[in-house]
Amino acid sequence: MNTLFIVTLVAFITATVQETCPSKPMKAEIIKAPESVLEYNIGDRVSIVCAAHATPAPVVYWKRGKGKKAVPLPTRSNSISVLYFDAIQKEDYDTYQCVVETCCNGKDISTDVDIVIPNGEPDCNKKYGDENVVFGVDWKYATHDQAKANCEALGMELAVIKSAEENAQLVTDMKVSFNRHPNANKFDDDNWLWIGGTDEEEEGVWKNLYTNEELEYFNWEKPNQPDNWVGEPGSDEYNEGGQDYLAINRDSGFWDDSFNVLKRPYACRCLKRDGTGRGVSRRHSRK
């Protein structure tokens, strides 16, 4: 297992962070932020700099993970901090947050970076799956609309599940990919992936994204699903129209209706492997 080495640099030399604030403290600003996605091959040396400015000097450090589950790393330093891997390994691929703290305004600012392996998109070959996978998983964050567009850009389709057999095959392919693909690490606590299906046009009438035909097979998670929940008022996912897009649980294979704005990985159908030889129908493709 790779040892994570943390290098912290101090741009502005201060013995301690000031305990009292100046009469007019300067608002913290990130002056050097990493790109949102950085690609590294296994074994590469990684050095990612994050720097911020404020008066008094802010504290900058890194967290691993997203949201409330993010874990702080021992990288605290004044004004600038560097996330460093001597030789990055499979288990190190994840989402990291650069966090900036100030003693005056009581509010942190942060920026995220996803460390991913290059060319990690699904390609339907043996690299991260079985010899003849029907479904390839793209382990990156995307809305439902983005997932559909990304699959099509790869010459694939966002997976539309038509039978119990296909659902079981997708679960198998998802599990194999999750266990082998370095980019899947960050989704250890997120079991849901996008699949192709929507009732956006008419509530309760779920349709194939590409043919506009009504779906005949379903595998809902609970008896009360789909529930078309609208979300909590004031939240980012609140939508008066409710949940209109299909997601699948990678462990159980059960389905749920969900909000398009949520970002999660997604499953693409490998057209050449499922025997259809069928390309995307632009005529029926939802815009």
Side-chain angles (χ1 to χ4, degrees):
M1 179 179 293
N2 178 60
T3 301
L4 173 62
F5 295 93
I6 306 298
V7 175
T8 55
L9 306 176
V10 179
F12 305 94
I13 301 175
T14 48
T16 59
V17 177
Q18 297 181 22
E19 295 182 358
T20 59
C21 295
S23 58
K24 293 183 179 180
M26 179 185 294
K27 183 178 179 181
E29 177 187 6
I30 296 178
I31 57 176
K32 184 173 180 58
E35 295 182 14
S36 59
V37 179
L38 294 175
E39 296 183 340
Y40 296 98
N41 288 302
I42 292 176
D44 282 354
R45 180 174 296 174
V46 176
S47 180
I48 305 175
V49 178
C50 184
H53 180 55
T55 302
V59 173
V60 183
Y61 66 97
W62 290 89
K63 288 184 177 182
R64 177 171 180 166
K66 289 181 69 69
K68 296 180 180 179
K69 295 182 179 180
V71 178
L73 300 174
T75 55
R76 296 176 68 88
S77 181
N78 289 338
S79 302
I80 185 168
S81 183
V82 179
L83 182 67
Y84 180 79
F85 298 89
D86 185 56
I88 193 167
Q89 299 299 310
K90 177 182 176 182
E91 60 269 20
D92 300 320
Y93 289 87
D94 208 333
T95 298
Y96 294 84
Q97 300 178 39
C98 171
V99 182
V100 178
E101 285 183 356
T102 59
C103 68
C104 297
N105 60 22
K107 186 176 181 180
D108 301 342
I109 58 175
S110 64
T111 184
D112 291 357
V113 55
D114 281 335
I115 298 180
V116 302
I117 197 165
N119 302 315
E121 65 273 0
D123 54 7
C124 303
N125 64 21
K126 196 176 180 179
K127 186 173 183 180
Y128 296 116
D130 287 334
E131 181 73 30
N132 294 303
V133 295
V134 174
F135 301 99
V137 178
D138 203 357
W139 298 104
K140 66 176 62 170
Y141 293 101
T143 65
H144 193 272
D145 284 344
Q146 290 169 343
K148 178 177 180 290
N150 291 349
C151 286
E152 292 172 8
L154 296 169
M156 306 163 75
E157 292 181 354
L158 187 60
V160 177
I161 309 304
K162 304 170 186 175
S163 67
E165 291 76 17
E166 284 194 348
N167 204 75
Q169 179 67 57
L170 174 54
V171 171
T172 296
D173 291 345
M174 287 190 297
K175 288 182 177 180
V176 170
S177 180
F178 179 78
N179 289 329
R180 296 183 181 179
H181 203 303
N183 292 348
N185 289 341
K186 65 176 68 71
F187 299 103
D188 188 48
D189 295 321
D190 187 355
N191 292 338
W192 293 95
L193 292 87
W194 289 124
I195 55 175
T198 179
D199 70 342
E200 183 180 33
E201 292 183 357
E202 182 179 350
E203 181 59 36
V205 180
W206 291 90
K207 293 186 176 182
N208 183 315
L209 294 179
Y210 298 98
T211 67
N212 210 36
E213 297 173 347
E214 292 187 26
L215 298 179
E216 297 181 356
Y217 170 78
F218 300 96
N219 194 36
W220 298 114
E221 181 186 25
K222 301 175 182 177
N224 65 332
Q225 295 291 348
D227 59 4
N228 198 41
W229 186 55
V230 298
E232 295 291 343
S235 68
D236 292 339
E237 61 185 32
Y238 178 72
N239 182 353
E240 292 183 354
Q243 299 171 309
D244 296 327
Y245 302 90
L246 285 183
I248 187 172
N249 187 294
R250 62 174 164 82
D251 289 327
S252 67
F254 288 129
W255 298 8
D256 187 25
D257 56 339
S258 194
F259 299 104
N260 176 53
V261 295
L262 295 180
K263 292 189 175 183
R264 50 178 44 137
Y266 47 92
C268 304
R269 179 183 289 271
C270 305
L271 299 179
K272 294 182 180 180
R273 293 293 177 88
D274 71 355
T276 65
R278 179 170 56 86
V280 174
S281 173
R282 300 297 178 186
R283 181 170 58 89
H284 293 297
S285 180
R286 181 167 54 88
K287 302 296 186 185

